[in-house]
Amino acid sequence: MGRSLACLCLLGLVLYPLARGTVPASEFRLEGDYLLGGLFEIHYDTFPTPHDRPESLDCSSKTLFLSNYRRFQLMRFAVAEINNSTDLLPNVTLGYEVFDHCSDTRCFAGIFKLLSVDNVVQPWNVPGKKVSKVVAVVGLFTSTFTLTVAPLFMMDFIPMISYGSSSSILSEKVKFPSFLRTVHSSQEVIQVIVKLLQYFKWHWVAFLYSNDDYGANAQKLFIEKIKNTDICLAYTHDLVSSDFLSIFQWIKSQKIVVIVVMAPEWSAKPLVKSAIQHNVTDKVWIAGEAWSLNKELPKEKGIKHIGTVIGVAQLYLNIPRFQDFIYSVKKQNECESAEQQFCNRVCKCSNVSAEDTLAVDPSYAFSVYSAVYAAAHALHNVLNCGTGKCDSGVSVSPPALLAELKRSNFTLLNQTIHFNEDGDPLFGSYAVHFWNRSGAAENFGICSFYPSIQIFINESKIQWHSKEVPVSQCSKECEEGNAKRQEGIHRCCFTCEICPNGTYVNITADPYSCLPCEKHQWSTAGSTSCLPRTVEWVPFTDPAAVVILAGACLLVALTAAMCVLFAVNYNTPVVRSAGGPMCFLILGCLSLCSISVFFYFERPTEAFCILRFMPFLLFYAVCLACFAVRSFQIVIIFKIAAKFPRVHSWWMKYHGQWLVISVAFVLQAVLIVIAFSSDPPLPYSDFLSYPDKIILGCDVNLNMASTSFFLLLLLCILCFTFSYMGKDLPKNYNEAKAITFCLLLLILTWIIFATVIMLYHGKYIHTLNALAVLSSAYCFLLWYFLPKCYIIIFQPHKNTQKYFQGLIQDYTKTISQ
């Protein structure tokens, strides 16, 4: 870096003496106590010719850009206005030295003139180094030119205030510590353009940019800003050559409607003219600030056919008395000496009228105006200026002036001028405009930058070439409830797929995915949000619950009544044949089984879940054990006693029936305690059976509880086996047949319930479970005990010892025959 700067300094020392001469007063120089440097691209070397050796350039021979000439006059006007002010820099004359900077590689003579002291450029860090009379530099316009010369001013911290360089690279204070600007950076301008694209839902765009630092930086920023948006960069290309046909062909092939062009006017003008020539029609052109207010292009023949031109630019502020200044300047008809040409302080624009100057692109006017005033206010503060005078004894150094510039805070044309820590402006709004049918730039929106970037659009003002807002999309937007499936590399190119049940699409968060609903939510196909599921259980007040609970209460009442009836008739043959004392145990267990029914309703809790199963499993096992024993006793009496008297004797001696019942009870109790203590039944929510409902129930670990169910099944099989063996006992005294019938009803009940549970999973499945439990109790109550109650009450003649002995004698005779 140091070697490069030394070479540049040496080059300046060689070139500058060749350019020296007696310079008469001109538009480019004004003597003063302090000088402002000015760098303006009044001319532009559109097609630079490569050279083998360093060579200075005569800018006046190149293409004149009136808009830059107008900005140059604005600086002169601002200095004249400051010198005529009694409040700003009183008794101090501000001068300027301006150079036409038309090339980034061949205009260094003017730069070294600004850096020189007594026509000598001193090396950096020389002891006792003299300071140039130039306290600050206003310029340059383009980012490329600024990036080329800025390091030379940064060495001595000479403030450089640009009115047009917007590249975000210049905000890096490590590289450009004394750089400030009065125009917003490309980063902010690109954000405005992105917001504009989002507002009109233009997702499929082309981006064309100039082949310089400004364009390259703008393209890079654009790609970054659209990264997490719905905008896709369908095509991008630089404007390095004048052959634009291939660019237009690509844009046409990709069906792109919106074209963003970030380029200075000398690059944008050939592009737009070529679009007219090649019959590019019905497009939306989004112009960057550098050419959006151009006055010549809207007057081009055929400009209306290319489509709608939308631009963003600084909100235009009329600068009072500037028009009078231009007319007065043109009346003087100043003529520069030919000797000045090498110093690039010759305009050769005497044939340009005041009307022509005022009619060109007015953009960046306030940027130039505020840049000059910012330098003047900073100098005012450094010189400790007060009322009517300044302190002439103060030494003005570039770092001191830079410090005051960074602290700028003054009002100019109702705008508060101040800068952020990067030297970027904290003032100024941007207008969004379009070229109307008369060729004028008409505002239809405004953009504010602080505290955040916000854009306000009045869509009713704009006149579209297609009479309505143009559409620029790779794929048609999906209907509501459809997610996008990306095709290819661009997320804007997609097909639409409807989101299935249980999912939804949130086009704001992620339009490319069908998001699953939460467990407690549901949705139909094609949903954009989820609905809460209905939580269902059967309350005590449900009609089905009322009926079943009434049945359970009736069962308890019937068992109690039967116990009383059996107790009164305890010694009668019917009661003794039914089981005698065992009847009271069976009836009591049937009543206790019905307790389970009461816990199948209301919202399940852990206690409810345990009491749903434990009473039924425990006491119904005792019931089945009693009937198994009773069936076995009947078989022993009628079939085994005569053939196996010792078995009958042993059974009677050791009270085998009570032993079996006790073992069954204890075994079932142990199995239930083990199963429920290790993995008790707990409340659970069934999310799978219905998409829109949550069915509350109790979750039973079938692996743990299977032994208890297996014991019930074993007792049922034993009971059925023994009762089936006694199916041919006396017709009027066939206890085995009654037990067999009850067991068949029991088995049928649970087969029906098992079938239903495989087909139906609603909230009433628990009601059906309660009904199955209640039916299991009623099977024995109605078909075993109720007939015996009927005999006791309505057929007492059959409840005698003589009647029963007659039945047994008849059966014995039948067997013996």
Side-chain angles (χ1 to χ4, degrees):
M1 179 69 180
R3 182 175 297 176
S4 300
L5 291 174
C7 291
L8 287 173
C9 291
L10 181 60
L11 177 63
L13 290 173
V14 172
L15 293 177
Y16 181 70
L18 298 176
R20 281 190 306 178
T22 303
V23 181
S26 73
E27 291 182 307
F28 289 87
R29 181 172 175 81
L30 177 68
E31 291 294 339
D33 299 321
Y34 299 95
L35 295 182
L36 286 182
L39 296 172
F40 291 85
E41 294 102 312
I42 300 173
H43 298 83
Y44 185 72
D45 189 7
T46 310
F47 302 105
T49 304
H51 291 268
D52 297 331
R53 60 177 183 173
E55 186 175 322
S56 184
L57 182 67
D58 176 14
C59 288
S60 63
S61 63
K62 301 302 176 181
T63 306
L64 171 68
F65 277 91
L66 267 179
S67 54
N68 279 340
Y69 175 72
R70 185 180 190 274
R71 292 162 195 145
F72 157 59
Q73 294 295 348
L74 257 168
M75 178 180 174
R76 297 184 64 222
F77 165 72
V79 172
E81 197 174 53
I82 292 167
N83 286 334
N84 290 329
S85 171
T86 56
D87 296 325
L88 185 60
L89 293 176
N91 80 331
V92 171
T93 303
L94 188 63
Y96 55 77
E97 189 156 5
V98 180
F99 290 91
D100 184 2
H101 194 86
C102 62
S103 171
D104 61 337
T105 58
R106 301 166 62 195
C107 287
F108 279 90
I111 304 300
F112 289 120
K113 178 65 172 70
L114 294 176
L115 291 170
S116 66
V117 179
D118 297 330
N119 296 326
V120 176
V121 178
Q122 296 177 319
W124 193 32
N125 285 337
V126 173
K129 179 180 178 179
K130 294 181 180 180
V131 180
S132 169
K133 200 175 181 181
V134 176
V135 294
V137 177
V138 175
L140 282 151
F141 177 62
T142 63
S143 298
T144 298
F145 286 12
T146 302
L147 288 166
T148 304
V149 304
L152 298 172
F153 295 104
M154 300 298 111
M155 289 190 299
D156 292 323
F157 294 97
I158 297 174
M160 187 176 186
I161 312 168
S162 174
Y163 52 86
S165 303
S166 59
S167 174
S168 61
I169 299 171
L170 293 163
S171 296
E172 299 177 12
K173 292 299 102 178
V174 175
K175 296 180 180 178
F176 306 98
S178 61
F179 178 84
L180 300 93
R181 53 183 157 201
T182 51
V183 65
H184 287 280
S185 71
S186 294
Q187 182 162 311
E188 293 171 316
V189 175
I190 290 297
Q191 282 183 278
V192 173
I193 291 175
V194 169
K195 285 187 176 291
L196 192 64
L197 295 173
Q198 290 175 321
Y199 179 88
F200 288 110
K201 297 180 180 179
W202 291 326
H203 300 157
W204 191 238
V205 300
F207 191 93
L208 306 180
Y209 58 98
S210 55
N211 185 34
D212 54 19
D213 295 279
Y214 166 72
N217 182 244
Q219 187 221 26
K220 177 185 175 184
L221 289 171
F222 186 76
I223 293 172
E224 289 177 358
K225 296 300 179 185
I226 67 172
K227 190 172 293 182
N228 297 317
T229 68
D230 290 331
I231 302 168
C232 292
L233 184 56
Y235 177 72
T236 182
H237 203 278
D238 59 29
L239 305 177
V240 68
S241 69
S242 57
D243 179 20
F244 303 117
L245 180 59
S246 60
I247 293 177
F248 296 140
Q249 288 174 340
W250 264 102
I251 290 174
K252 183 179 180 180
S253 68
Q254 296 296 316
K255 298 179 181 179
I256 301 167
V257 175
V258 177
I259 306 169
V260 180
V261 182
M262 294 294 287
E265 60 179 319
W266 48 80
S267 296
K269 284 172 68 175
L271 175 72
V272 175
K273 290 180 179 180
S274 180
I276 297 171
Q277 180 185 348
H278 290 103
N279 197 30
V280 178
T281 59
D282 300 331
K283 303 295 182 186
V284 176
W285 302 79
I286 298 181
E289 184 178 15
W291 68 280
S292 64
L293 293 178
N294 187 277
K295 299 295 184 180
E296 297 176 22
L297 286 174
K299 298 175 184 176
E300 287 284 333
K301 185 179 179 181
I303 189 69
K304 295 178 181 178
H305 299 300
I306 70 170
T308 303
V309 179
I310 295 175
V312 292
Q314 280 186 348
L315 194 62
Y316 177 70
L317 295 175
N318 182 46
I319 298 176
R321 299 176 298 278
F322 176 62
Q323 183 173 330
D324 298 335
F325 175 81
I326 292 296
Y327 279 110
S328 66
V329 165
K330 287 303 172 184
K331 283 181 182 179
Q332 295 174 12
N333 289 322
E334 295 180 87
C335 182
E336 292 81 4
S337 168
E339 294 180 5
Q340 295 177 283
Q341 292 184 25
F342 194 79
C343 290
N344 288 322
R345 284 189 282 190
V346 173
C347 180
K348 291 185 179 178
C349 49
S350 56
N351 60 334
V352 177
S353 66
E355 289 77 10
D356 291 338
T357 305
L358 293 170
V360 295
D361 181 359
S363 59
Y364 300 98
F366 186 73
S367 295
V368 177
Y369 191 63
S370 57
V372 176
Y373 265 88
H377 274 273
L379 184 60
H380 181 93
N381 294 334
V382 172
L383 294 174
N384 300 319
C385 296
T387 305
K389 64 177 182 178
C390 297
D391 187 354
S392 58
V394 176
S395 175
V396 179
S397 65
L401 190 70
L402 176 63
E404 289 298 333
L405 266 171
K406 290 181 176 180
R407 289 194 289 266
S408 294
N409 192 353
F410 62 94
T411 302
L412 184 66
L413 300 184
N414 296 322
Q415 297 283 319
T416 302
I417 310 300
H418 55 298
F419 303 91
N420 64 15
E421 63 275 8
D422 294 327
D424 293 334
L426 291 172
F427 58 90
S429 299
Y430 268 49
V432 185
H433 54 264
F434 73 101
W435 294 357
N436 61 24
R437 293 187 178 95
S438 63
E442 184 177 339
N443 291 352
F444 69 92
I446 191 169
C447 179
S448 61
F449 292 93
Y450 309 103
S452 61
I453 294 180
Q454 293 181 319
I455 190 168
F456 304 94
I457 300 294
N458 185 352
E459 201 173 329
S460 61
K461 282 188 174 184
I462 190 169
Q463 301 165 359
W464 298 107
H465 63 272
S466 56
K467 309 302 180 185
E468 58 184 13
V469 180
V471 177
S472 185
Q473 298 173 334
C474 178
S475 300
K476 186 179 178 181
E477 282 299 317
C478 295
E479 294 181 1
E480 190 177 77
N482 285 254
K484 301 174 181 177
R485 179 177 290 277
Q486 183 174 325
E487 290 185 338
I489 61 172
H490 293 292
R491 59 181 176 278
C492 298
C493 302
F494 50 81
T495 55
C496 300
E497 291 185 355
I498 191 167
C499 288
N501 294 335
T503 65
Y504 71 101
V505 60
N506 186 340
I507 59 173
T508 304
D510 183 7
Y512 296 89
S513 301
C514 291
L515 305 174
C517 293
E518 299 290 336
K519 287 187 69 176
H520 60 279
Q521 295 178 325
W522 73 286
S523 69
T524 57
S527 295
T528 56
S529 62
C530 295
L531 300 173
R533 289 193 184 194
T534 304
V535 181
E536 292 190 348
W537 70 89
V538 181
F540 285 128
T541 55
D542 188 88
V546 171
V547 171
I548 291 174
L549 292 175
C553 293
L554 179 62
L555 185 141
V556 174
L558 287 175
T559 54
M562 288 180 181
C563 284
V564 172
L565 182 63
F566 280 20
V568 172
N569 298 276
Y570 182 73
N571 292 316
T572 61
V574 171
V575 174
R576 296 182 66 183
S577 67
M582 198 178 293
C583 293
F584 298 101
L585 177 60
I586 295 171
L587 290 171
C589 286
L590 290 177
S591 297
L592 293 173
C593 283
S594 66
I595 293 175
S596 294
V597 174
F598 291 88
F599 298 99
Y600 278 92
F601 308 103
E602 283 303 319
R603 195 180 189 105
T605 63
E606 187 173 349
F608 267 50
C609 288
I610 292 174
L611 293 174
R612 274 189 188 187
F613 301 105
M614 188 181 73
F616 177 74
L617 290 174
L618 181 61
F619 296 111
Y620 207 75
V622 176
C623 290
L624 289 177
C626 289
F627 281 111
V629 167
R630 183 62 189 146
S631 301
F632 182 69
Q633 284 180 319
I634 294 170
V635 173
I636 286 179
I637 291 171
F638 287 97
K639 292 189 175 184
I640 299 179
K643 297 179 181 181
F644 303 101
R646 294 183 63 182
V647 174
H648 180 262
S649 174
W650 180 90
W651 181 266
M652 297 300 296
K653 180 179 179 181
Y654 293 103
H655 303 286
Q657 67 274 26
W658 299 112
L659 183 62
V660 172
I661 293 168
S662 299
V663 169
F665 174 76
V666 172
L667 181 60
Q668 183 72 315
V670 170
L671 292 175
I672 291 173
V673 169
I674 293 173
F676 284 18
S677 60
S678 60
D679 193 0
L682 298 173
Y684 89 105
S685 301
D686 179 9
F687 294 96
L688 301 177
S689 298
Y690 295 92
D692 58 338
K693 299 177 184 178
I694 301 174
I695 308 299
L696 300 185
C698 293
D699 184 26
V700 181
N701 188 335
L702 294 177
N703 292 329
M704 295 300 298
S706 59
T707 51
S708 297
F709 290 113
F710 180 76
L711 181 60
L712 286 178
L713 180 62
L714 178 63
L715 291 172
C716 186
I717 292 172
L718 290 173
C719 184
F720 185 82
T721 302
F722 292 134
S723 62
Y724 185 79
M725 289 172 64
K727 66 182 185 303
D728 56 348
L729 293 178
K731 181 178 179 182
N732 292 329
Y733 177 69
N734 197 341
E735 304 291 337
K737 283 186 177 181
I739 294 172
T740 303
F741 183 71
C742 291
L743 288 171
L744 287 174
L745 287 178
L746 176 65
I747 293 169
L748 181 62
T749 297
W750 287 99
I751 288 174
I752 292 173
F753 176 71
T755 304
V756 170
I757 203 172
M758 288 188 292
L759 302 175
Y760 172 71
H761 302 282
K763 66 177 181 178
Y764 286 106
I765 195 66
H766 306 295
T767 304
L768 294 174
N769 198 345
L771 182 61
V773 170
L774 192 62
S775 299
S776 301
Y778 269 108
C779 285
F780 291 107
L781 188 69
L782 296 179
W783 302 107
Y784 184 80
F785 288 105
L786 192 60
K788 293 171 176 48
C789 294
Y790 179 80
I791 292 172
I792 292 172
I793 297 173
F794 298 106
Q795 295 179 341
H797 63 279
K798 293 183 179 181
N799 191 17
T800 61
Q801 190 71 26
K802 181 179 178 181
Y803 182 78
F804 270 79
Q805 285 179 349
L807 291 175
I808 295 171
Q809 288 174 359
D810 292 339
Y811 176 74
T812 304
K813 290 178 182 179
T814 302
I815 294 297
S816 62
Q817 291 175 357

